[in-house]
Amino acid sequence: MKIKIRYFGMLTEVTGCEEEIIDFPEVVISELLEMLFIKYPKLKDKKFQVAQNNELVPFKTKISSKEIVLLPPFSGG
Amino acid sequence: MDRYNRHIILSEIGHKGQEKLSKSKVLVVGAGGLGCPVLQYLAAAGIGTLGIIDYDVVELSNLQRQILFGTSSLGKNKANEAKAKLQDLNQTINIIAYPEQLTYQNAIELFGQFDIIVDGTDNFETRYLINDACVITNTTLVFGAIYKFQGQVAVFNYNGGPSYRCAFPDKPKKGDVPNCSEVGVLGVLPGIIGSMMCNEVLKIILGIGHILSGELMCYDALSNQNQIIKIKRCETEIESVILNKNNFQNQKMNDLCSSDINEVSIEAFLNNKNVQFIDVRELHEQPKIKNFNVIKIPLSALESQLELISLIKDKAIFCQSGIRSKTAVSILKKYNINNCYSIREGASEIIGYINKSNNNVIHE
């Protein structure tokens, strides 16, 4: 399954891109994250939430969208 | 009512809506990049009571985006300075400046006096404090935050909607996410995000349109993309804040912006020969320290007087309360001036320490 992953804020500094398409066989978001942590070890140290179908979802949620968003909290003002 | 004519002729607002605005009370926490545009439009719109809380002073590097201030504001408290500018914009509204830090001790009583709280702060410590105080006092929170070219806007605790903790449950640890003035930001970005925040405030008061409750708007200034992400209310998050209600005021603030600032007591320097003492208070501030080797560089002039700072000695930097000295250290860091220490004690305490160690100091 091909999934588009979008990264916001400081996450793009770890991934080096704002979005990418990943071919991914697994079904749960946490498994996708495990794979991303191997690809980007520093991502593991970052705080973020995950959204699919434009909604924040727990990491144990099954992937049901072609687009996953990784969203960190911002503090700047 | 000529002033509000362009509001009143809108059928969605009219005299009734304008009356609602003039009866409303809004508190803006932080008069910085986000706070400035929010405050300007709220004051112009005729919000009846406008509170501004900020303990910080205006620095030269603020003027790139904090559009209420000018060069004459440098070194002055942001809440007081914002009030002066806004009162000129609209003398018919009541503006209250709180030139102090929002803390666990003063938040609950303060929030109870307002209908809506606007979070324009620059650090997670205060953002979570604001959220929790809004949950406890059942007050609507209009939230905005920025990072480089991107921004987030949301409305929390609105009509039983989710809180900030429902989206981001845990406060990031120090260093997880950059705080305060550690990163760059496109000057107009807080203008865009602050205007969106003000738009939410006005709609809530007027009871018109769609409110960003349970939704986090994510805006990217480079791509012009705007994505709205839904947030569900999480009862356990909200309950745990309410359960902790009685303990709320006993909590202590962690350092706001000083994740890598060396903060030490004056005692560590009193017997040190290789140290330059720098007083970053404005020149008129009391008590003055006399007959002790101190150079005076007001925070507002720091960046233009860097040549006065010793590159060899340790720098012990102090002010009235230990807050501006931290700002000074972070400014000097930016210029790669190392071995700078923010003194925890304020000037009057420092005089006490110096007297005790038998130096020739006269308390003016």
Side-chain angles (χ1 to χ4, degrees):
Chain A
M1 177 159 78
K2 284 198 194 314
I3 302 171
K4 188 206 263 185
I5 304 178
R6 294 185 60 203
Y7 304 102
F8 271 90
M10 52 296 287
L11 302 185
T12 61
E13 288 149 32
V14 171
T15 60
C17 62
E18 284 176 13
E19 55 178 60
E20 63 183 327
I21 291 175
I22 281 188
D23 206 354
F24 186 66
E26 303 299 334
V27 287
V28 178
I29 285 171
S30 59
E31 292 172 299
L32 172 69
L33 294 180
E34 286 303 325
M35 197 182 99
L36 292 175
F37 291 157
I38 293 168
K39 192 172 178 189
Y40 309 110
K42 283 186 179 163
L43 193 59
K44 210 171 178 169
D45 305 327
K46 299 285 174 193
K47 270 237 166 354
F48 61 85
Q49 297 294 324
V50 176
Q52 72 170 349
N53 300 315
N54 290 324
E55 180 162 10
L56 288 189
V57 290
F59 291 177
K60 59 175 193 255
T61 310
K62 274 189 183 173
I63 295 173
S64 62
S65 165
K66 292 249 183 291
E67 185 179 287
I68 300 283
V69 178
L70 269 60
L71 195 68
F74 293 171
S75 70
Chain B
M1 276 308 211
D2 256 5
R3 174 185 282 273
Y4 306 116
N5 171 268
R6 295 299 191 278
H7 268 168
I8 291 165
I9 59 176
L10 285 169
S11 61
E12 291 83 354
I13 300 181
H15 281 286
K16 246 185 169 171
Q18 193 58 44
E19 186 79 356
K20 286 181 187 169
L21 294 173
S22 74
K23 282 185 176 152
S24 61
K25 298 170 185 164
V26 180
L27 175 70
V28 178
V29 187
L34 293 171
C36 282
V38 173
L39 285 164
Q40 268 175 313
Y41 278 111
L42 289 180
I47 296 296
T49 302
L50 195 51
I52 313 161
I53 178 163
D54 200 319
Y55 68 89
D56 209 358
V57 294
V58 180
E59 290 170 43
L60 188 59
S61 63
N62 296 154
L63 302 187
Q64 165 252 21
R65 65 198 179 285
Q66 301 184 13
I67 49 170
L68 268 176
F69 310 125
T71 38
S72 67
S73 317
L74 293 175
K76 293 182 183 160
N77 171 268
K78 289 184 182 179
N80 288 334
E81 192 65 5
K83 177 183 167 162
K85 293 283 161 74
L86 295 168
Q87 206 73 79
D88 179 52
L89 169 63
N90 192 343
Q91 75 286 3
T92 69
I93 60 170
N94 178 27
I95 304 172
I96 311 166
Y98 303 93
E100 58 193 274
Q101 189 178 0
L102 185 76
T103 63
Y104 287 97
Q105 286 70 44
N106 62 18
I108 300 286
E109 202 200 322
L110 189 61
F111 285 17
Q113 299 167 39
F114 292 90
D115 308 319
I116 298 173
I117 310 298
V118 178
D119 179 356
T121 60
D122 63 358
N123 63 86
F124 285 117
E125 186 68 25
T126 316
R127 289 187 180 280
Y128 279 83
L129 156 63
I130 291 170
N131 177 73
D132 295 355
C134 283
V135 171
I136 290 168
T137 56
N138 196 22
T139 314
T140 298
L141 167 60
V142 175
F143 166 94
I146 51 173
Y147 184 78
K148 291 187 177 176
F149 299 96
Q150 296 179 338
Q152 300 174 339
V153 185
V155 175
F156 295 116
N157 306 311
Y158 177 73
N159 282 351
S163 77
Y164 184 59
R165 281 188 192 270
C166 302
F168 299 103
D170 307 315
K171 191 168 18 179
K173 289 196 293 286
K174 264 187 196 173
D176 275 2
V177 182
N179 260 346
C180 302
S181 47
E182 293 166 18
V183 286
V185 62
L186 183 70
V188 70
L189 178 73
I192 296 169
I193 299 298
S195 301
M196 287 176 171
M197 293 162 74
C198 184
N199 184 35
E200 294 306 305
V201 174
L202 297 179
K203 286 187 298 176
I204 291 168
I205 297 167
L206 294 166
I208 58 173
H210 174 84
I211 308 295
L212 273 175
S213 171
E215 295 175 339
L216 185 69
M217 182 194 275
C218 304
Y219 172 79
D220 186 309
L222 292 181
S223 66
N224 282 318
Q225 277 192 48
N226 216 0
Q227 187 165 9
I228 293 179
I229 298 200
K230 290 202 180 83
I231 305 161
K232 281 205 191 90
R233 182 177 161 101
C234 175
E235 295 303 334
T236 52
E237 287 301 332
I238 289 170
E239 273 165 26
S240 76
V241 172
I242 292 170
L243 279 175
N244 195 34
K245 188 173 155 181
N246 293 333
N247 191 35
F248 184 83
Q249 292 185 325
N250 300 328
Q251 294 179 81
K252 264 179 102 177
M253 298 288 278
N254 290 319
D255 284 346
L256 301 183
C257 314
S258 55
S259 51
D260 51 359
I261 288 173
N262 301 313
E263 196 193 17
V264 286
S265 167
I266 186 74
E267 282 184 291
F269 290 102
L270 286 177
N271 296 315
N272 184 343
K273 291 262 183 304
N274 188 39
V275 63
Q276 182 183 38
F277 289 96
I278 304 172
D279 183 349
V280 293
R281 296 177 299 160
E282 299 305 304
L283 297 174
H284 59 84
E285 287 182 70
Q286 301 286 345
K288 291 210 160 73
I289 295 178
K290 293 183 95 190
N291 300 329
F292 186 71
N293 201 2
V294 172
I295 64 161
K296 291 176 183 171
I297 312 178
L299 186 60
S300 56
L302 186 60
E303 282 168 292
S304 59
Q305 296 186 24
L306 294 174
E307 70 280 357
L308 296 178
I309 293 163
S310 164
L311 296 175
I312 309 153
K313 292 181 175 176
D314 285 340
K315 273 73 69 183
I317 299 168
F318 65 92
C319 59
Q320 202 74 306
S321 64
I323 291 171
R324 273 176 287 168
S325 55
K326 281 191 203 170
T327 310
V329 171
S330 66
I331 291 172
L332 294 176
K333 265 201 159 125
K334 254 188 350 208
Y335 289 97
N336 291 321
I337 300 174
N338 297 318
N339 303 323
C340 295
Y341 300 87
S342 171
I343 301 302
R344 189 177 300 132
E345 294 88 2
S348 28
E349 272 183 283
I350 289 172
I351 290 174
Y353 275 104
I354 299 172
N355 284 339
K356 240 198 285 174
S357 75
N358 295 325
N359 279 298
N360 301 321
V361 173
I362 295 161
H363 193 144
E364 220 178 49

Tab-separated table of all heavy atoms in Angstrom, chain B residues 44-67:
chain	number	residue	atom	x	y	z
B	44	ALA	N	-9.469	47.902	18.273
B	44	ALA	CA	-10.159	48.624	17.204
B	44	ALA	C	-11.619	48.211	17.122
B	44	ALA	O	-12.491	49.025	16.825
B	44	ALA	CB	-9.452	48.374	15.871
B	45	ALA	N	-11.888	46.913	17.407
B	45	ALA	CA	-13.259	46.397	17.301
B	45	ALA	C	-14.144	46.857	18.456
B	45	ALA	O	-15.344	46.641	18.432
B	45	ALA	CB	-13.233	44.871	17.248
B	46	GLY	N	-13.537	47.450	19.484
B	46	GLY	CA	-14.342	47.969	20.587
B	46	GLY	C	-14.654	46.968	21.675
B	46	GLY	O	-15.709	47.058	22.334
B	47	ILE	N	-13.758	46.001	21.897
B	47	ILE	CA	-13.914	45.078	23.036
B	47	ILE	C	-13.929	45.918	24.318
B	47	ILE	O	-13.006	46.706	24.551
B	47	ILE	CB	-12.731	44.076	23.071
B	47	ILE	CG1	-12.725	43.180	21.838
B	47	ILE	CG2	-12.751	43.249	24.363
B	47	ILE	CD1	-13.914	42.271	21.700
B	48	GLY	N	-14.957	45.760	25.138
B	48	GLY	CA	-15.164	46.656	26.276
B	48	GLY	C	-14.030	46.675	27.284
B	48	GLY	O	-13.558	47.728	27.710
B	49	THR	N	-13.571	45.475	27.673
B	49	THR	CA	-12.463	45.390	28.620
B	49	THR	C	-11.385	44.488	28.031
B	49	THR	O	-11.634	43.331	27.720
B	49	THR	CB	-12.943	44.810	29.967
B	49	THR	OG1	-13.988	45.647	30.462
B	49	THR	CG2	-11.809	44.761	30.976
B	50	LEU	N	-10.205	45.063	27.880
B	50	LEU	CA	-9.098	44.338	27.261
B	50	LEU	C	-7.955	44.251	28.262
B	50	LEU	O	-7.393	45.266	28.671
B	50	LEU	CB	-8.678	45.102	26.000
B	50	LEU	CG	-7.785	44.421	24.969
B	50	LEU	CD1	-8.326	43.062	24.567
B	50	LEU	CD2	-7.660	45.318	23.720
B	51	GLY	N	-7.641	43.008	28.693
B	51	GLY	CA	-6.522	42.799	29.598
B	51	GLY	C	-5.284	42.369	28.822
B	51	GLY	O	-5.388	41.657	27.820
B	52	ILE	N	-4.121	42.828	29.278
B	52	ILE	CA	-2.851	42.445	28.639
B	52	ILE	C	-1.902	42.038	29.753
B	52	ILE	O	-1.606	42.848	30.631
B	52	ILE	CB	-2.186	43.637	27.905
B	52	ILE	CG1	-3.191	44.395	27.046
B	52	ILE	CG2	-0.991	43.160	27.085
B	52	ILE	CD1	-2.720	45.800	26.673
B	53	ILE	N	-1.422	40.794	29.713
B	53	ILE	CA	-0.431	40.406	30.717
B	53	ILE	C	0.858	39.989	30.027
B	53	ILE	O	0.856	39.137	29.127
B	53	ILE	CB	-0.957	39.314	31.697
B	53	ILE	CG1	0.140	38.913	32.696
B	53	ILE	CG2	-1.525	38.099	30.984
B	53	ILE	CD1	-0.379	38.171	33.917
B	54	ASP	N	1.966	40.641	30.420
B	54	ASP	CA	3.299	40.319	29.886
B	54	ASP	C	4.340	40.932	30.812
B	54	ASP	O	4.236	42.100	31.173
B	54	ASP	CB	3.466	40.867	28.459
B	54	ASP	CG	4.583	40.153	27.702
B	54	ASP	OD1	5.643	39.889	28.309
B	54	ASP	OD2	4.402	39.850	26.512
B	55	TYR	N	5.319	40.122	31.232
B	55	TYR	CA	6.351	40.647	32.130
B	55	TYR	C	7.588	41.134	31.388
B	55	TYR	O	8.454	41.780	31.961
B	55	TYR	CB	6.790	39.547	33.120
B	55	TYR	CG	7.536	38.397	32.467
B	55	TYR	CD1	8.916	38.436	32.308
B	55	TYR	CD2	6.855	37.285	31.988
B	55	TYR	CE1	9.598	37.397	31.685
B	55	TYR	CE2	7.523	36.245	31.369
B	55	TYR	CZ	8.893	36.307	31.223
B	55	TYR	OH	9.558	35.290	30.602
B	56	ASP	N	7.633	40.832	30.097
B	56	ASP	CA	8.853	41.034	29.317
B	56	ASP	C	8.987	42.496	28.873
B	56	ASP	O	8.029	43.258	28.896
B	56	ASP	CB	8.779	40.132	28.082
B	56	ASP	CG	10.146	39.699	27.604
B	56	ASP	OD1	11.150	40.126	28.203
B	56	ASP	OD2	10.207	38.936	26.624
B	57	VAL	N	10.206	42.848	28.452
B	57	VAL	CA	10.439	44.191	27.916
B	57	VAL	C	10.707	44.107	26.414
B	57	VAL	O	11.100	43.071	25.890
B	57	VAL	CB	11.628	44.901	28.611
B	57	VAL	CG1	11.314	45.173	30.065
B	57	VAL	CG2	12.905	44.105	28.460
B	58	VAL	N	10.482	45.223	25.735
B	58	VAL	CA	10.654	45.270	24.281
B	58	VAL	C	12.149	45.295	23.943
B	58	VAL	O	12.900	46.086	24.501
B	58	VAL	CB	9.959	46.521	23.691
B	58	VAL	CG1	10.133	46.563	22.173
B	58	VAL	CG2	8.487	46.555	24.072
B	59	GLU	N	12.533	44.392	23.041
B	59	GLU	CA	13.920	44.359	22.559
B	59	GLU	C	13.948	44.719	21.076
B	59	GLU	O	12.949	44.544	20.371
B	59	GLU	CB	14.490	42.939	22.693
B	59	GLU	CG	14.745	42.485	24.104
B	59	GLU	CD	15.076	40.987	24.116
B	59	GLU	OE1	15.848	40.539	23.262
B	59	GLU	OE2	14.529	40.298	24.981
B	60	LEU	N	15.124	45.138	20.619
B	60	LEU	CA	15.266	45.543	19.217
B	60	LEU	C	14.822	44.437	18.257
B	60	LEU	O	14.154	44.689	17.256
B	60	LEU	CB	16.729	45.939	18.954
B	60	LEU	CG	17.025	46.569	17.596
B	60	LEU	CD1	16.212	47.848	17.390
B	60	LEU	CD2	18.520	46.856	17.452
B	61	SER	N	15.169	43.178	18.590
B	61	SER	CA	14.846	42.070	17.679
B	61	SER	C	13.351	41.749	17.665
B	61	SER	O	12.897	40.937	16.871
B	61	SER	CB	15.636	40.821	18.067
B	61	SER	OG	15.253	40.399	19.365
B	62	ASN	N	12.555	42.380	18.544
B	62	ASN	CA	11.101	42.188	18.543
B	62	ASN	C	10.423	42.993	17.428
B	62	ASN	O	9.344	42.650	16.962
B	62	ASN	CB	10.473	42.654	19.862
B	62	ASN	CG	10.928	41.859	21.069
B	62	ASN	OD1	10.919	42.363	22.171
B	62	ASN	ND2	11.326	40.615	20.871
B	63	LEU	N	11.056	44.108	17.034
B	63	LEU	CA	10.363	45.078	16.183
B	63	LEU	C	10.102	44.537	14.776
B	63	LEU	O	9.251	45.059	14.064
B	63	LEU	CB	11.163	46.387	16.097
B	63	LEU	CG	11.453	47.074	17.441
B	63	LEU	CD1	12.099	48.433	17.206
B	63	LEU	CD2	10.198	47.244	18.277
B	64	GLN	N	10.799	43.472	14.383
B	64	GLN	CA	10.603	42.838	13.074
B	64	GLN	C	9.187	42.284	12.940
B	64	GLN	O	8.688	42.086	11.858
B	64	GLN	CB	11.686	41.743	12.935
B	64	GLN	CG	11.478	40.722	11.836
B	64	GLN	CD	11.100	39.358	12.414
B	64	GLN	OE1	10.621	39.253	13.540
B	64	GLN	NE2	11.323	38.310	11.624
B	65	ARG	N	8.494	42.022	14.044
B	65	ARG	CA	7.144	41.426	13.968
B	65	ARG	C	6.173	41.943	15.022
B	65	ARG	O	4.974	41.747	14.886
B	65	ARG	CB	7.242	39.899	14.080
B	65	ARG	CG	7.766	39.431	15.422
B	65	ARG	CD	8.268	38.008	15.405
B	65	ARG	NE	8.770	37.637	16.721
B	65	ARG	CZ	9.928	38.041	17.232
B	65	ARG	NH1	10.723	38.831	16.539
B	65	ARG	NH2	10.293	37.701	18.432
B	66	GLN	N	6.648	42.575	16.082
B	66	GLN	CA	5.738	42.988	17.163
B	66	GLN	C	5.325	44.428	16.917
B	66	GLN	O	5.889	45.376	17.456
B	66	GLN	CB	6.412	42.764	18.515
B	66	GLN	CG	6.778	41.286	18.666
B	66	GLN	CD	7.373	40.891	19.996
B	66	GLN	OE1	7.328	41.664	20.956
B	66	GLN	NE2	7.935	39.694	20.063
B	67	ILE	N	4.296	44.563	16.065
B	67	ILE	CA	4.034	45.813	15.368
B	67	ILE	C	3.379	46.904	16.219
B	67	ILE	O	3.148	47.992	15.724
B	67	ILE	CB	3.170	45.556	14.111
B	67	ILE	CG1	1.978	44.677	14.497
B	67	ILE	CG2	3.996	44.870	13.020
B	67	ILE	CD1	0.946	44.556	13.443
